[in-house]
Amino acid sequence: MRTRLSSQIAAQNLGLNVLTLNAAQEAWNLEFADGAVMNGDTVEHIKDAIEVLNQYCDIIAVRCFAGMKSKEDDVNESILSQFEKHAKVPVISLSLLLVTRYKVLLTVLLLQKTGKRS
């Protein structure tokens, strides 16, 4: 809760409009494996969901937690990696608290200065 609130307030203080989506509770179950057949409980692939976000967002901030199912996926931050792979806008990890605040500030300042979406 603290990370979400502090990040939202910081973004709003910088003049950004914030949209919050808790994907685990407010979205369809997403598929992350490339080439997977979605005939189970997943109905949308992460790359398709990110393509929609690309159309509406100038920055995507992601906070994900270890799934505790695959050490390799957890260590490699596979969910964050999917966002970085498919997003056409800057992706910010909200998992590293100290680094994140600087990354958010620097990204926003860069966008304000250049006017580019990357």
Side-chain angles (χ1 to χ4, degrees), residues 35-99:
V37 176
M38 291 177 281
N39 59 2
D41 67 340
T42 57
V43 296
E44 185 172 21
H45 197 280
I46 186 68
K47 66 182 174 186
D48 297 324
I50 294 170
E51 187 56 40
V52 172
L53 294 174
N54 282 329
Q55 296 175 33
Y56 296 109
C57 301
D58 295 316
I59 299 172
I60 300 173
V62 178
R63 186 170 189 206
C64 46
F65 300 93
M68 306 302 284
K69 293 179 183 175
S70 164
K71 181 179 179 181
E72 181 179 355
D73 285 346
D74 292 345
V75 169
N76 293 328
E77 298 190 78
S78 60
I79 294 173
L80 180 63
S81 296
Q82 289 287 326
F83 276 89
E84 291 171 335
K85 178 180 178 182
H86 298 293
K88 295 174 182 156
V89 298
V91 175
I92 300 168
S93 171
L94 294 179
S95 298
L96 300 172
L97 298 178
L98 182 59
V99 173

Side-chain angles (χ1 to χ4, degrees), residues 23-43:
Q25 297 174 353
E26 301 168 352
W28 298 106
N29 289 332
L30 297 172
E31 179 60 58
F32 293 93
D34 287 332
V37 176
M38 291 177 281
N39 59 2
D41 67 340
T42 57
V43 296

